[in-house]
Amino acid sequence: MPAHSAPPPRALPGGGETRRHVLVAVVLNKPGVLNRVASLMRARNFNIDSLAVSHTDSDDVSRMTITLHGDDVAVEQAAKQLYRLIDVLKVQDVTSEPTIQQELALVKIRATDSNRSEVLKLVELSRGRVVDLADGSVIVEVTGTESEIDAFVALVRTYGIKELVRTGAVVMARGSGSIEEAIKR
Amino acid sequence: MTITKGDPAHPPSPVARAATERATPPPTRRSHVPNEGSAEAAAVERARKGMLHEGRELKRTRIGADVLCEALLRQGVEVIFSYPGGVILPLYDVLGDYPELRHVLVRHEQGGAHAADGYARVTGRVGVCMGTSGPGATNLVTGIGTALLDSVPMVAITGNVPSALIGKDAFQEIDINGITLPMTKHNYLVRDADDLPRVVAEAFHIARTGRPGPVHIDITKDALQQETRAEHPTDAEIVAGLPGFRPNLDGHGRQLKLAAAEIAAARRPVILAGHGVLHAEAWDDLRAFAEKTQIPVAWTLLGIGVIDETHPLAYGYMGMHGWKHVNRAIQSADLLIAIGMRFDDRVTGNVRTYAPYARIVHVDIDPAEIGKNVAVEVPIVGDAGRVLRALTPLVDPVDPATRADYFAQLTEWKADSVASSWHGSGAWRDGLLSADYVIERIGELTEHEATYVADVGQNQMWLARYAGFRHPNTHVSSGGLGTMGFSVPAAMGAALGRPDRETWAITGDGGFQMTFQELMTLVADHIPVKIALLDNKKLGMIRQWQEIIYAGNYHSANLPGPDFAKLADAFGIPAFRARTPGEVDDAIRAAQAVDGPALIWFEIAEEQNVFPMMPAGKGLSDLIEKWGGAEE
Ligand SMILES: Cc1ncc(C[n+]2csc(CCOP(=O)(O)OP(=O)(O)O)c2C)c(N)n1
Ligand SMILES: [Mg+2]
């Protein structure tokens, strides 16, 4: 037995660099499935940053886009835990894949008579869309990646944000491959 | 929503279609559904023909409760542990029509859940427990959690308030589905009797397939009462309806080759065998693999029984209170082959200092277990039996002579640790009755052929260490949840599951006082459990921690108890008492001679500790072997 030199400590799983991950989960559209996913993430100590759910082209299948921060091993563990749910059909970590990522935000921005035109100009430059104009405020709709929306929000913050709502990212891998078709195989 | 199959108004979804196309059910590993042609299958068939209302002129309306009974019989269920209540009364109203479903009226729903658990662990079949809504359901929860943490196949059924009252805080309404959601493999709320056949069949399939676990079915009262013509699905339909549930049973060929290479290169390999080997009924495969490769086998608490302890390659029980020689072997191993175990913290201690020289091959049926607690070199996802059967041919037979040095070292360590453990506890002082002696005598006098059901605490560790296990599924213990009060009710289920074996409940005085109301069930239902009460008049394990870790601050460690002989007598259970080593054998023999349940009150040394002990947070090399006044 090699007792002469003290062995190095065993590496723990995970403990790597934390980064933003995007998981796509295709699940059966059954009552409670959102609850199961949320409950699992809570119980396993994963912190969800955003979660977007809708049904897919087939009514009995839903699709969730989950963004969370963690190291690669921890997120892989999250994906494996999700697979344990009976209603989960497919989970894919698309973080490192070429994807289209879009999020939509509605921002109610304080706009006075004196700065309204400045606000509108800025919105136009940032490819936002004004969807409501009122006395003292405008509602702007922006779509883009999470960081594009972050940037827009930071930009208009100086005027004053009265309300902000974001959908959370929805993500789709580029190319002709299909996660939904993959589950049929 | 449910996926409709073949309904022209709703063309099948791609998922359902694909699922139907590959709807060959994966062979489940254990025959909970009796094998065709067996006597069991014939009995089930008789029961179905004789009593099921399917295809017969009904003398009364077939209701949801009938469907539930039919579905249970179709799954080969022979006993349910249950307790009635308002909303589940419709079921009790028809139970009498199904005499093949033995109903055991427990004295507390927790006891029912543990009984179903004990039944499942010794038979490998799905255990069934039931209770009413509200408090009946919450009483089941501890037992469901116990089954979850130990991966025990169980179906727990509860009644719920009528669907129209759900969400209205009706009498005895609780969101039991919300409560069991994170502590079951899956759960259901059934509001429509037409869904019952599918749900029950799915629940059994899920509970026993892949990594086993508990499934909870909550049924509203109106669904139990509702008239229905619903038909029972075939196995293939059930599998097709669960497209998200396809456990991977066969190890990946490439991974198997990698594992074989690791094994060929290893000089000090150790097999770590866990509960998964028992679930897979893979004990013969394990032995064949170990013999061919000449690798010693260590086991987890729940792995006890994976190999006959007298086998030359059987090395011992690992972990916090495991054998020092076993932990030493793990700490010096260059390869760990972990099969159906999950590197629980009671097994590894501080992971940073765990098995520092070892590479790890990890076989588990649940991918989420691999890489969860320790990083591994070769992950293999699959059923323990199938993986072992595929792996064994890939490894070259090893000549034991080539391991002579290794084996000599192991033998020396073992002799040393066995000798030191015996006296380390210090109970031999003053002629006190030592718990390890009691356990050893129970093992001997039952010829190691009984089922031994542990409670939790010191008694559990003494049983694991000293009984001497020779057969699979003869040791039952709440490992993951560590549920005090488990022993007596679980033994009740175990005794019904394996009536051919004597069944012993080994319990501490603390755990016994949690669930001893089930003594009455033992009497009423003639269940011949022998209870070995190891009474140290203490929460012994608490006292031990307080002595060693909390500087002797014994808060709440003393546990005054009743006169246990009178207590047993009040239930009509013969009781025997042993206070000295000389009285032990007679007491055991007397209990064995009783035709029915019996209790032995062992008044053991009050301050005996379980050694060795790895303090929580420390490593496997930091075992405490004796303490304070313990004499060598
Ligand atoms: C339901 C429950 N409550 C509390 C505990 C914590 N606990 C673990 S061991 C133990 C003491 C057990 O005492 P006893 O049953 O007399 O067994 P002994 O250790 O003395 O053999 C306690 C309180 C537990 N495991 N389960
Ligand atoms: Mg005690």
Side-chain angles (χ1 to χ4, degrees):
Chain A
M1 167 188 168
H4 29 274
S5 61
R10 174 172 286 280
L12 298 175
E17 207 183 307
T18 293
R19 59 173 175 150
R20 175 177 176 269
H21 283 257
V22 182
L23 296 180
V24 174
V26 179
V27 305
L28 289 178
N29 180 14
K30 291 198 177 174
V33 64
L34 177 60
N35 191 3
R36 287 181 201 281
V37 169
S39 164
L40 181 145
M41 297 300 259
R42 171 194 55 76
R44 297 276 169 190
N45 210 9
F46 300 113
N47 230 326
I48 297 181
D49 293 334
S50 76
L51 173 64
V53 201
S54 71
H55 63 74
T56 60
D57 188 39
S58 77
D59 281 345
D60 48 20
V61 175
S62 292
R63 174 165 173 146
M64 300 185 179
T65 309
I66 303 167
T67 65
L68 72 167
H69 274 79
D71 87 328
D72 293 3
V73 177
V75 173
E76 187 191 343
Q77 175 64 208
K80 286 169 161 183
Q81 292 293 346
L82 285 172
Y83 263 120
R84 297 179 67 187
L85 297 178
I86 307 295
D87 293 336
V88 169
L89 300 173
K90 181 99 190 156
V91 183
Q92 209 172 328
D93 186 344
V94 297
T95 309
S96 308
E97 286 177 33
T99 51
I100 300 294
Q101 298 200 15
Q102 291 288 311
E103 181 173 1
L104 183 144
L106 297 177
V107 198
K108 189 178 283 183
I109 306 167
R110 206 180 298 281
T112 56
D113 287 345
S114 60
N115 69 6
R116 174 171 286 112
S117 57
E118 190 184 332
V119 171
L120 294 182
K121 183 96 198 204
L122 194 74
V123 167
E124 195 185 329
L125 281 172
S126 347
R127 274 183 283 150
R129 200 160 71 92
V130 175
V131 288
D132 184 60
L133 264 175
D135 197 21
S137 73
V138 293
I139 299 180
V140 178
E141 173 202 305
V142 271
T143 44
T145 64
E146 234 171 58
S147 50
E148 282 166 356
I149 293 178
D150 286 347
F152 177 79
V153 170
L155 207 62
V156 298
R157 185 162 287 133
T158 47
Y159 304 107
I161 295 176
K162 289 166 73 75
E163 270 185 60
L164 170 67
V165 58
R166 301 173 62 153
T167 57
V170 291
V171 176
M172 198 171 273
R174 288 178 183 271
S176 63
S178 159
I179 183 173
E180 286 167 40
E181 277 173 15
I183 61 174
K184 296 165 204 162
R185 264 186 262 121
Chain B
M1 66 166 294
T2 49
I3 292 183
T4 45
K5 290 186 214 74
D7 176 354
H10 301 275
S13 77
V15 176
R17 210 184 324 117
T20 323
E21 278 158 17
R22 45 158 193 210
T24 355
T28 50
R29 292 157 303 120
R30 312 183 90 178
S31 51
H32 306 263
V33 178
N35 286 330
E36 250 175 77
S38 67
E40 245 178 344
V44 171
E45 198 49 39
R46 266 200 313 282
R48 287 170 56 181
K49 287 229 179 72
M51 301 158 7
L52 301 193
H53 299 308
E54 290 176 282
R56 296 198 322 157
E57 205 59 43
L58 301 185
K59 296 220 175 64
R60 60 175 172 78
T61 317
R62 178 184 186 248
I63 59 171
D66 291 299
V67 177
L68 177 59
C69 295
E70 293 165 13
L72 293 175
L73 285 171
R74 292 176 71 93
Q75 295 296 331
V77 173
E78 50 184 18
V79 57
I80 50 184
F81 302 92
S82 181
Y83 208 86
V87 297
I88 204 169
L89 274 181
L91 176 65
Y92 278 77
D93 203 31
V94 305
L95 264 181
D97 292 344
Y98 301 88
E100 259 80 354
L101 273 181
R102 177 169 179 185
H103 176 272
V104 174
L105 176 62
V106 293
R107 293 302 185 274
H108 187 294
E109 290 87 350
Q110 181 187 348
H114 290 327
D117 179 321
Y119 173 90
R121 293 195 207 216
V122 297
T123 59
R125 303 161 61 109
V126 180
V128 181
C129 55
M130 298 197 307
T132 192
S133 66
T138 54
N139 275 352
L140 285 172
V141 163
T142 302
I144 296 173
T146 304
L148 179 78
L149 275 256
D150 289 348
S151 307
V152 175
M154 174 193 285
V155 170
I157 299 169
T158 52
N160 207 336
V161 300
S163 34
L165 290 182
I166 284 196
K168 304 278 196 289
D169 299 317
F171 177 62
Q172 295 192 329
E173 185 196 1
I174 195 92
D175 175 17
I176 191 63
N177 242 253
I179 293 171
T180 63
L181 184 141
M183 47 186 295
T184 48
K185 203 169 161 188
H186 198 53
N187 67 2
Y188 294 91
L189 170 61
V190 182
R191 299 155 173 264
D192 181 343
D194 292 349
D195 290 337
L196 271 172
R198 175 185 57 83
V199 166
V200 176
E202 279 186 12
F204 276 81
H205 175 67
I206 291 169
R208 68 178 165 235
T209 308
R211 178 182 184 169
V215 179
H216 168 225
I217 309 174
D218 196 26
I219 311 171
T220 60
K221 183 181 185 185
D222 50 325
L224 287 173
Q225 290 171 314
Q226 177 192 336
E227 185 180 344
T228 175
R229 299 175 159 276
E231 285 175 23
H232 295 279
T234 64
D235 290 353
E237 283 168 333
I238 287 307
V239 173
L242 294 167
F245 184 61
R246 295 279 189 278
N248 210 336
L249 303 179
D250 288 307
H252 194 290
R254 195 186 56 222
Q255 298 302 98
L256 293 171
K257 284 201 191 106
L258 288 176
E262 295 281 350
I263 292 163
R267 293 292 160 264
R268 296 180 312 282
V270 179
I271 294 170
L272 311 178
H275 206 188
V277 176
L278 295 175
H279 284 311
E281 300 184 340
W283 41 85
D284 291 335
D285 306 310
L286 177 76
R287 196 184 53 239
F289 171 74
E291 284 171 355
K292 186 171 182 191
T293 54
Q294 288 295 303
I295 301 180
V297 181
W299 49 85
T300 65
L301 179 67
L302 295 193
I304 287 173
V306 289
I307 189 166
D308 182 338
E309 288 190 15
T310 63
H311 189 284
L313 287 167
Y315 202 51
Y317 162 50
M318 67 179 89
M320 179 179 257
H321 287 293
W323 290 90
K324 182 184 174 192
H325 59 275
V326 180
N327 290 338
R328 263 176 125 166
I330 291 169
Q331 289 305 81
S332 76
D334 62 354
L335 179 67
L336 299 178
I337 304 151
I339 309 169
M341 56 81 77
R342 58 186 172 90
F343 293 102
D344 166 79
D345 52 278
R346 260 33 181 181
V347 153
T348 61
N350 184 347
V351 177
R352 301 286 283 175
T353 59
Y354 180 69
Y357 306 101
R359 294 171 64 78
I360 300 179
V361 173
H362 191 183
V363 181
D364 203 285
I365 197 158
D366 181 353
E369 285 305 343
I370 297 181
K372 185 181 80 176
N373 295 338
V374 297
V376 305
E377 276 72 27
V378 184
I380 303 179
V381 176
D383 169 82
R386 290 187 181 214
V387 168
L388 281 168
R389 289 193 291 277
L391 181 58
T392 306
L394 301 182
V395 293
D396 291 329
V398 171
D399 175 1
T402 62
R403 295 218 200 277
D405 288 352
Y406 180 41
F407 285 164
Q409 173 76 88
L410 292 179
T411 307
E412 186 194 318
W413 282 346
K414 186 166 183 175
D416 172 55
S417 112
V418 171
S420 68
S421 115
W422 193 249
H423 295 285
S425 70
W428 290 101
R429 283 174 296 160
D430 314 322
L432 295 176
L433 184 52
S434 154
D436 23 1
Y437 176 73
V438 172
I439 295 295
E440 202 203 50
R441 294 313 298 157
I442 291 174
E444 282 288 304
L445 294 181
T446 54
E447 296 173 352
H448 311 277
E449 295 290 337
T451 301
Y452 310 87
V453 185
D455 209 80
V456 168
Q458 293 182 318
N459 61 87
Q460 181 182 31
M461 297 300 123
W462 283 315
L463 178 68
R465 291 172 58 85
Y466 300 109
F469 293 90
R470 309 213 40 191
H471 304 288
N473 297 338
T474 55
H475 171 256
V476 175
S477 192
S478 167
L481 202 63
T483 308
M484 278 173 70
F486 176 74
S487 174
V488 168
M492 180 162 88
L496 290 183
R498 286 300 302 265
D500 54 321
R501 294 184 184 282
E502 217 171 73
T503 302
W504 282 76
I506 315 295
T507 179
D509 46 314
F512 184 66
Q513 288 181 68
M514 285 195 171
T515 53
F516 69 63
Q517 67 275 20
E518 299 308 337
L519 292 182
M520 200 58 228
T521 317
L522 296 180
V523 172
D525 282 61
H526 311 289
I527 306 173
V529 172
K530 313 297 176 193
I531 299 161
L533 170 62
L534 302 184
D535 180 17
N536 48 16
K537 300 167 176 45
K538 302 267 182 302
L539 297 175
M541 190 58 93
I542 298 298
R543 200 208 65 84
Q544 174 166 352
W545 281 49
Q546 288 173 334
E547 176 180 0
I548 295 172
I549 304 168
Y550 293 93
N553 184 6
Y554 300 119
H555 194 295
S556 304
N558 273 325
L559 191 73
D563 179 327
F564 289 107
K566 280 191 187 156
L567 181 83
D569 189 52
F571 286 99
I573 291 183
F576 309 93
R577 194 165 179 175
R579 276 175 273 201
T580 61
E583 294 168 333
V584 169
D585 281 18
D586 284 349
I588 295 172
R589 290 209 179 88
Q592 287 182 296
V594 173
D595 179 20
L599 180 139
I600 312 176
W601 183 9
F602 293 105
E603 294 188 71
I604 57 169
E606 291 188 21
E607 302 192 347
Q608 185 180 0
N609 288 329
V610 188
F611 287 127
M613 167 189 188
M614 172 180 64
K618 290 286 175 56
L620 274 196
S621 302
D622 309 319
L623 299 180
I624 296 174
E625 288 182 85
K626 60 179 180 187
W627 192 257
E631 282 162 25
E632 284 281 356

